[in-house]
Amino acid sequence: MAADPEADEVGVAVQSKFLAVGALVSWARGGIGAVATQALADVSLGPRGLDLLAAGMEPAEALERLLDGDEQRETRQVGLVDARGRAASFTGAECIEFASSVLGEGFACQGNIMATDRVVPAMAEAYRAAEGPLAERLLEALRAAQREGGDRRGQESAVLLVAKPGGGYGGNHDRYIDLRVDHHNEPIEELARLLDLHQLYLQRPSEDEVVPVDAELEAEIGRHLTHLGKRSRGQDLWDALFDYMGWENLEERWVGKGRIDQRVLDYLRQHARGKGGP
């Protein structure tokens, strides 16, 4: 679990030999923090931990509050990071080897039933070295852990959860990225594929991804839309493109008349070729 205070994002990434691990382990709340509850997981630690962080408690103090009086404390593994990047993690003495936690600036890594004692440190090292958005850095941490053997029982499911105030579709909730692979032979790489699709469909393009449309490109776009049956006779090109993007769930990448997002252009070209177009 990790936080990117500059981007106002918090998130959790997990892989386990367990069906639908995202339903139990990962918790995050935009502007507040993230929690992961593992080993003999007490699912209630997720929402309770977020509530404590929301009340202003530091992660280390919140962790002690969560585990205080828990008769199964030593079977738990739980970590928290707040939106400021402060982190805490606990690995109980009865967690199955190899089990450990590593803390760093803005993140906490933890794992149990690991293939070797290198898995969790490798996860932390990869996160520190990774660049780019928080989701991509979390994914690289999972990949590094898997290269060291990961869960010694194998792979089954994975989750990538990133919360950001107002970051969700429509701008009225914090579920910025919420991707789950519940059962797969290579769940981390499947998660990476889903993240790429998420970025295509739901991420707004940056200015350097926007292409000005000249007469030649306008004619090409028109040909593709007509070939796909997405432009009626006499219909304005930009109205047709807007309708097409909505139909294909690409509306977040609309940048107005006279311009087009490069990924939309690539998508349109590939779609037309797939339908026998030029």
Side-chain angles (χ1 to χ4, degrees):
M1 64 232 75
D4 183 338
E6 288 188 11
D8 202 10
E9 296 174 7
V10 292
V12 186
V14 187
Q15 191 285 138
S16 179
K17 181 65 171 70
F18 192 92
L19 181 70
V21 68
L24 302 179
V25 172
S26 50
W27 303 85
R29 192 178 298 167
I32 301 301
V35 181
T37 171
Q38 298 171 235
L40 186 59
D42 177 353
V43 175
S44 75
L45 297 180
R48 288 197 289 134
L50 292 175
D51 286 345
L52 292 174
L53 295 179
M57 199 172 288
E58 293 189 12
E61 183 182 1
L63 185 57
E64 281 304 313
R65 177 75 65 85
L66 290 172
L67 296 172
D68 186 37
D70 185 351
E71 294 181 356
Q72 295 181 298
R73 174 188 177 111
E74 296 305 324
T75 67
R76 312 288 191 206
Q77 188 171 52
V78 59
L80 305 89
V81 62
D82 68 12
R84 293 171 56 185
R86 299 175 297 183
S89 180
F90 172 81
T91 297
E94 296 176 23
C95 291
I96 300 174
E97 286 285 331
F98 292 94
S100 65
S101 304
V102 175
L103 297 179
E105 184 177 350
F107 74 90
C109 293
Q110 58 195 35
N112 64 96
I113 324 179
M114 299 289 93
T116 73
D117 61 1
R118 275 288 306 149
V119 176
V120 176
M123 194 189 320
E125 291 162 11
Y127 181 80
R128 288 191 185 100
E131 298 180 349
L134 179 63
E136 294 179 10
R137 286 179 277 151
L138 289 169
L139 189 60
E140 288 307 309
L142 290 189
R143 282 172 161 158
Q146 188 56 42
R147 286 194 294 270
E148 294 292 337
D151 186 328
R152 73 174 185 234
R153 302 167 299 174
Q155 302 184 69
E156 185 166 4
S157 67
V159 59
L160 178 60
L161 175 63
V162 178
K164 179 176 184 175
Y169 182 83
N172 61 355
H173 63 95
D174 70 347
R175 198 180 309 153
Y176 180 44
I177 299 173
D178 188 357
L179 302 174
R180 298 183 182 185
V181 179
D182 288 342
H183 182 76
H184 198 279
N185 290 335
E186 295 185 333
I188 298 172
E189 293 313 309
E190 179 65 6
L191 198 62
R193 187 184 74 84
L194 293 177
L195 178 60
D196 186 61
L197 289 174
H198 180 276
Q199 292 168 339
L200 170 64
Y201 290 117
L202 297 173
Q203 187 172 22
R204 294 287 301 165
S206 59
E207 277 301 313
D208 60 5
E209 294 177 294
V210 176
V211 178
V213 177
D214 57 17
E216 182 179 355
L217 184 53
E218 185 173 301
E220 179 193 348
I221 293 169
R223 287 194 303 271
H224 293 322
L225 291 172
T226 300
H227 176 78
L228 291 167
K230 297 300 181 182
R231 186 186 185 190
S232 59
R233 184 180 298 273
Q235 184 182 16
D236 178 77
L237 173 75
W238 298 103
D239 289 343
L241 179 62
F242 181 81
D243 291 345
Y244 169 78
M245 290 175 63
W247 185 261
E248 296 296 317
N249 297 317
L250 294 166
E251 62 269 19
E252 290 293 297
R253 289 189 168 271
W254 172 255
V255 292
K257 294 183 177 183
R259 309 193 306 163
I260 189 170
D261 167 46
Q262 182 65 56
R263 293 195 69 172
V264 171
L265 181 59
D266 294 342
Y267 183 98
L268 176 62
R269 286 168 170 166
Q270 185 176 0
H271 191 185
R273 286 196 299 269
K275 296 294 185 179

